[in-house]
Amino acid sequence: MIGLIQRVSEANVTVDNNIIGEIGHGMLVLLGVEKDDGDAEIEKLANKLCRYRMFSDSDGKMNLNVEQVEGEILVVSQFTLVADTQRGNRPGFSRGASPAHGEDIYSRFVGALKQKGMRVQTGEFGADMKVGLINDGPVTFQFHV
């Protein structure tokens, strides 16, 4: 499972010209699911994101997590994160989850964040989405669990 996270001052996701998920200050999570991902990866990444100190304290140091700043999380599925880009000029997706497995893991990951008390918005799995954001910093991190 790969999570590309960005600290944002705002973010939204649009499907068919309709905003379906929108947050203010918080974290945008682009989530790529690999074919062998399961409960362990869901829990590990959810825990990491909830605790990750990527928000500035009063001294300007990254010492606060999303909960401490009362931030929100927008989770958007992005299968291209699991692409193999090492050979040739076209990405390969053999590491990626099947659509059914990917959607299941994506939904369970969102549920894990909500169980931890996070305020979560989502995109629409498998849809052609437009993601808008203002990256605050810019601050971007990648996790591969």
Side-chain angles (χ1 to χ4, degrees), residues 49-75:
L49 297 187
C50 291
R51 295 184 193 139
Y52 205 69
R53 297 183 302 169
M54 62 185 284
F55 297 92
S56 300
D57 63 15
S58 59
D59 294 326
K61 302 231 187 260
M62 285 191 214
N63 279 327
L64 303 174
N65 64 40
V66 68
E67 185 177 24
Q68 290 170 313
V69 298
E70 298 179 359
E72 301 170 282
I73 300 174
L74 175 60
V75 182

Side-chain angles (χ1 to χ4, degrees), residues 3-140:
L4 183 71
I5 63 171
Q6 298 178 308
R7 184 177 73 187
V8 297
S9 52
E10 62 184 64
N12 64 63
V13 61
T14 303
V15 175
D16 295 330
N17 294 319
N18 296 311
I19 294 176
I20 63 166
E22 184 173 30
I23 64 168
H25 180 66
M27 176 189 298
L28 170 63
V29 179
L30 301 175
L31 187 71
V33 179
E34 295 174 292
K35 61 183 167 189
D36 294 329
D37 288 340
D39 292 336
E41 290 78 15
I42 291 168
E43 195 60 26
K44 185 173 183 179
L45 187 57
N47 283 335
K48 186 75 162 176
L49 297 187
C50 291
R51 295 184 193 139
Y52 205 69
R53 297 183 302 169
M54 62 185 284
F55 297 92
S56 300
D57 63 15
S58 59
D59 294 326
K61 302 231 187 260
M62 285 191 214
N63 279 327
L64 303 174
N65 64 40
V66 68
E67 185 177 24
Q68 290 170 313
V69 298
E70 298 179 359
E72 301 170 282
I73 300 174
L74 175 60
V75 182
V76 177
S77 62
Q78 187 169 347
F79 77 95
T80 59
L81 284 175
V82 303
D84 178 0
T85 59
Q86 297 303 307
R87 297 187 329 236
N89 294 316
R90 186 171 158 224
F93 296 101
S94 61
R95 293 186 349 223
S98 69
H101 182 65
E103 186 170 13
D104 177 57
I105 296 296
Y106 172 78
S107 296
R108 290 169 42 208
F109 176 75
V110 169
L113 291 175
K114 289 179 178 180
Q115 272 189 319
K116 295 175 186 315
M118 300 294 109
R119 294 180 298 157
V120 181
Q121 294 284 312
T122 65
E124 181 181 324
F125 187 90
D128 181 19
M129 297 176 278
K130 308 296 183 220
V131 179
L133 69 134
I134 298 177
N135 190 320
D136 180 15
V139 173
T140 304

